[in-house]
Amino acid sequence: MSEKIASEKLQKVLARAGVGSRREMEEWISGGRVTVDGKPATLGDRISPTQQVRVDGHPVQIASEAEQICRVLAYHKPEGEICSRTDPEGRPTVFSRLPNIKGARWIAIGRLDINTSGLLLFTTDGELANRLMHPKFEVEREYAVRVFGDVNDAMIQRLRTGVELEDGKANFKKIKALPGEGINRWFHVVLTEGRNREVRRMWESQGAVVSRLIRVRYGDLLLPKHLPAGGYAEYPLEDVNYLRKLVSLAPEVATLVKPEDRDERRRRMASMKRAVRKHDIAAKTPERAPKERKPTEARPAKPDGAKPAGRRGPAAPKGKPQRQPNGKKPSREGRG
């Protein structure tokens, strides 16, 4: 009975170990890439921490859920980065800036499209990420959006009550106009789901165009002040447990975040800004291709009977003759 309680689904254990997402692990298990104790794994298998798991023949270090510390990062995503781990087009990804960790991997909680900036959360806990992204928990996401177009009260009311999109009806839970006039205005809008390009598509359904989009809040967690675009900061235990409570998960009891005073925080942020600048410069600097050597021209062949050219010695010095290597004075004939 205790063994059954301690066991977990294989894809969940692999995702927690940082091998990949649960969906990827299900595909890998179905494709025969995973073995447990030397035997091919199947979907639905449950394992305990004492069993030997291999992926493509390589051992995977697994740990129970209680042994792994749940960590959460706030990342200030700049425009121009994508939320995939790799990109065949060579575009920069959000994962390239994150700190390396051992025995786990960072999992993005939701996505932001390439032209959207702002708060993006990452965690090492796949279950936390899955629950925060699930619509049934209705976690609020707030965006600052600059809209180009003639926005009237009727349009705002339709966006509140719901508009039809290709993938179903959608509406803003809250929408607030910021002070300003003209056809380029800022609004704050709130959603409780994260469909692809949902904010942009909702405004486009009303004939308006989103010219700027920034996520400023996830749940009650705001985009940290003074965090530069491209920078990240790890949340303390209190904020991690706030997120876990939102989605009915047990609280975490440990953290790797060390307490710091104002001076330490200031030094850390200065170091973060330098790292961000260094990363941006490296990303914009093209790699220098190695210089090609010019082909050596073939020397013309010597005519038959010509003496082979040897190395020429140093030119005879002008003026007085030099002493010979044996230290003897030159002969009378050589004194000139």
Side-chain angles (χ1 to χ4, degrees):
M1 184 71 176
S2 60
E3 184 179 351
K4 184 176 181 181
I5 294 175
S7 66
E8 295 180 278
K9 287 187 177 180
L10 178 57
Q11 61 266 31
K12 180 180 178 180
V13 174
L14 290 173
R16 189 170 62 237
V19 181
S21 67
R22 285 197 188 185
R23 184 172 297 178
E24 288 173 332
M25 294 304 96
E26 290 173 357
E27 294 175 355
W28 290 13
I29 293 169
S30 300
R33 299 176 60 180
V34 183
T35 61
V36 178
D37 293 336
K39 298 178 181 179
T42 58
L43 277 178
D45 283 353
R46 301 181 69 88
I47 65 167
S48 64
T50 58
Q51 293 182 276
Q52 299 293 323
V53 180
R54 291 177 177 268
V55 175
D56 294 334
H58 301 288
V60 178
Q61 184 178 0
I62 61 175
S64 66
E65 190 170 5
E67 293 174 333
Q68 188 179 48
I69 297 176
C70 175
R71 302 172 64 183
V72 181
L73 281 185
Y75 177 66
H76 187 169
K77 177 190 176 298
E79 294 181 8
E81 290 185 352
I82 63 171
C83 291
S84 300
R85 292 186 182 274
T86 57
D87 181 56
E89 299 180 25
R91 293 172 296 183
T93 79
V94 295
F95 291 93
S96 66
R97 298 184 191 259
L98 303 185
N100 295 324
I101 50 177
K102 187 177 181 181
R105 71 167 191 161
W106 294 115
I107 303 167
I109 301 175
R111 304 169 73 90
L112 295 176
D113 66 51
I114 190 170
N115 295 319
T116 301
S117 61
L119 179 62
L120 182 61
L121 301 185
F122 292 86
T123 182
T124 56
D125 189 331
E127 184 63 24
L128 176 63
N130 288 331
R131 293 196 183 197
L132 285 171
M133 289 185 286
H134 202 287
K136 76 175 183 179
F137 290 102
E138 296 187 341
V139 181
E140 289 189 350
R141 293 94 155 156
E142 183 174 349
Y143 297 83
V145 52
R146 188 173 66 190
V147 179
F148 181 79
D150 186 13
V151 180
N152 52 44
D153 293 340
M155 182 189 301
I156 292 177
Q157 185 60 29
R158 286 193 295 271
L159 291 170
R160 282 199 182 106
T161 56
V163 295
E164 288 294 336
L165 303 178
E166 299 87 345
D167 51 356
K169 198 171 184 179
N171 69 293
F172 292 131
K173 299 299 179 184
K174 301 174 186 177
I175 179 169
K176 178 183 177 182
L178 299 185
E181 297 179 355
I183 59 173
N184 222 356
R185 296 183 59 190
W186 282 95
F187 294 84
H188 272 221
V189 298
V190 176
L191 290 169
T192 55
E193 57 183 0
R195 283 189 261 172
N196 183 38
R197 300 184 70 254
E198 189 171 7
V199 175
R200 296 179 186 275
R201 290 189 292 139
M202 288 176 67
W203 283 103
E204 288 169 0
S205 72
Q206 304 303 302
V209 177
V210 172
S211 57
R212 189 85 185 274
L213 186 59
I214 308 167
R215 184 192 278 170
V216 296
R217 179 170 65 88
Y218 198 101
D220 286 346
L221 301 181
L222 300 174
L223 179 65
K225 292 182 179 180
H226 311 301
L227 187 64
Y232 59 83
E234 185 163 354
Y235 283 114
L237 184 60
E238 179 184 0
D239 292 331
V240 172
N241 282 333
Y242 158 73
L243 291 174
R244 296 180 69 83
K245 186 178 180 180
L246 273 183
V247 292
S248 304
L249 285 176
E252 179 60 83
V253 296
T255 181
L256 298 180
V257 179
K258 298 179 180 179
E260 56 185 12
D261 57 26
R262 182 179 298 180
D263 291 337
E264 290 172 331
R265 182 165 55 252
R266 191 174 298 165
R267 285 194 293 270
R268 177 174 58 82
M269 293 308 301
S271 176
M272 174 68 67
K273 291 177 181 179
R274 288 194 297 269
V276 168
R277 287 196 296 267
K278 185 177 180 181
H279 184 281
D280 291 339
I281 292 172
K284 294 177 182 178
T285 304
E287 295 183 2
R288 294 183 178 180
K291 294 182 179 180
E292 295 184 0
R293 294 184 177 181
K294 295 182 179 180
T296 305
E297 296 181 0
R299 294 181 179 179
K302 294 284 185 180
D304 293 342
K307 293 181 179 180
R311 291 185 178 179
R312 294 183 179 180
K318 296 181 180 180
K320 295 182 179 181
Q322 303 295 317
R323 291 185 179 271
Q324 300 298 322
N326 57 9
K328 295 181 180 180
K329 293 182 179 181
S331 62
R332 186 179 297 275
E333 289 80 2
R335 289 182 180 178

